[in-house]
Amino acid sequence: WTGCTAQPPFPEECNGLDDDCNNLIDDGLDCACPPEMIGFLMPCMEDPLICGQGFKSCECADENCVTTQMTQCFAMCYWVPDPLEVCDPTGGFPVPEICNNFDDDCDTDIDEDLLAQCYTGPEGTVNVGVCIPGELMCVSGQWGNYMDELFVEDMCLDEVTPLEEDLCTGQDDNCDGVIENVLEDTDVLFIIDTSGSMSSTINAVQAAMSMFSTHYSDQDVVQWGLVVGPVDQNFDNTLHLVTNLVPFLQFMPHLASVDDDSTSNEMLYDALLLSIRNLVTPGDLPALPAMNWNGFGIGSNPGIDNWTINWREDVHHVVIVFSDEHGQSYLNPATTPPLIQEWAAAADDLSVYTFSKNINQLGLNGWEAISVGGSWFQLTSNPQVMFDNLMDILEETACGGGEGEEE
């Protein structure tokens, strides 16, 4: 190919040409016109024209035409009158709307329905991997978008630009055309304390997973489940299996609907034991004794005998617990940390991660001790910190990495 012969835009000059390629001639300039342009009609869209496209002409400013000047912008009928029509010199010919704070199409609306693609990421990354352009809207001759009812010029809405490196999402997050990290078959179960003091943490988990969904490709390799408790159900404090392990798009609406409740009996030690017991091969450990809920107003949905997580075989199994209280049990016999440790250690490919306050990390009923195969994190209401922590968990459990797979 030879070099491109297209004329690039230049700053507007007084020459009767559209130098900056915005469909306007000599716009924004108060200038005389060159003598060779005298008598020529040039397109214009400016006062006193109230809409559409009109024309202006170069004319002599004195008898000897030593100096020249540009006329005002008027409708074509002003320059070429039609005796059979009444001429409105301020009403131009309708043309397609452009972003110029002017009623180009003469419909009394200005800059209506004008949208444009935008992208602020590095050159060569748009439409590579997860990177996609965003959108600008035109308001009063300016491109931008609204943020909290304030119009921000040049703000590109809904674009996705490269991350510094690929997350473990099964996608090309840094938009270099290569998927560095692939996902392995993994089941992830969230167990969330929904007592009244957990509101800000629940919001952080929801926001973090919403951030994750921006990049995550909904693949069958990872399945997601959700357990919450305690929940106020007819004045009972109950543990709920909200959803068994399902694909991400089915899981997210359930997570988004989680809210704190005016309850206080956090039976999350029990939730963990009930959820992992079917990961232990029968006979590897002595069978658990018959269990029932200890106390009036405590229960679960489904009941203890029917509480079964649909873990898949030959995949990684991950449980993530969020609570702002020390570990508690309301089962009879009680669920203790040593019992959880024993069953978690015997479970098939299981990693337990826990989020709690510092004061509930250690001690007799702390959370770090039962983080078998995983680790403890400090509870946070910061969505970005929560997102980073959850990404670390996926990196350790579900991330195959190192594939270097071309997209």
Side-chain angles (χ1 to χ4, degrees), residues 44-248:
C44 56
M45 289 183 288
E46 59 196 52
D47 291 338
L49 208 67
I50 59 174
C51 76
Q53 178 180 283
F55 294 87
K56 56 186 177 181
S57 179
C58 187
E59 64 181 10
C60 295
D62 55 61
E63 184 176 348
N64 297 321
C65 209
V66 175
T67 59
T68 62
Q69 64 185 13
M70 193 70 71
T71 67
Q72 290 185 305
C73 185
F74 293 116
M76 176 59 81
C77 64
Y78 174 86
W79 304 103
V80 185
D82 185 342
L84 300 179
E85 293 183 2
V86 177
C87 178
D88 176 8
T90 64
F93 179 79
V95 294
E97 198 77 11
I98 62 173
C99 187
N100 58 0
N101 198 29
F102 189 73
D103 181 14
D104 305 284
D105 55 7
C106 296
D107 65 352
T108 71
D109 292 324
I110 294 177
D111 294 342
E112 74 277 9
D113 302 326
L114 291 179
L115 301 173
Q117 281 195 346
C118 54
Y119 186 69
T120 61
E123 184 178 354
T125 60
V126 65
N127 294 320
V128 177
V130 301
C131 293
I132 57 173
E135 191 171 71
L136 295 169
M137 64 184 301
C138 180
V139 176
S140 301
Q142 301 291 334
W143 291 104
N145 276 290
Y146 282 99
M147 176 180 289
D148 297 329
E149 299 183 357
L150 176 67
F151 185 78
V152 180
E153 188 176 351
D154 296 326
M155 187 181 79
C156 190
L157 189 65
D158 297 330
E159 68 171 340
V160 178
T161 56
L163 300 178
E164 290 186 6
E165 59 184 21
D166 279 355
L167 301 174
C168 194
T169 59
Q171 300 210 85
D172 177 16
D173 300 306
N174 62 1
C175 305
D176 64 353
V178 178
I179 300 175
E180 281 83 12
N181 298 317
V182 296
L183 288 169
E184 296 179 346
D185 290 327
T186 306
D187 290 341
V188 182
L189 180 68
F190 282 26
I191 299 178
I192 301 179
D193 176 357
T194 49
S195 59
S197 55
M198 280 287 290
S199 177
S200 60
T201 298
I202 292 171
N203 291 339
V205 173
Q206 292 166 331
M209 293 305 293
S210 179
M211 294 163 62
F212 176 68
S213 68
T214 302
H215 300 273
Y216 178 64
S217 176
D218 186 42
Q219 305 174 61
D220 290 336
V221 294
V222 182
Q223 301 282 290
W224 308 79
L226 177 62
V227 172
V228 302
V231 175
D232 184 1
Q233 185 175 23
N234 299 324
F235 303 105
D236 289 344
N237 285 194
T238 58
L239 184 68
H240 278 222
L241 175 53
V242 178
T243 178
N244 233 314
L245 296 163
V246 294
F248 188 75

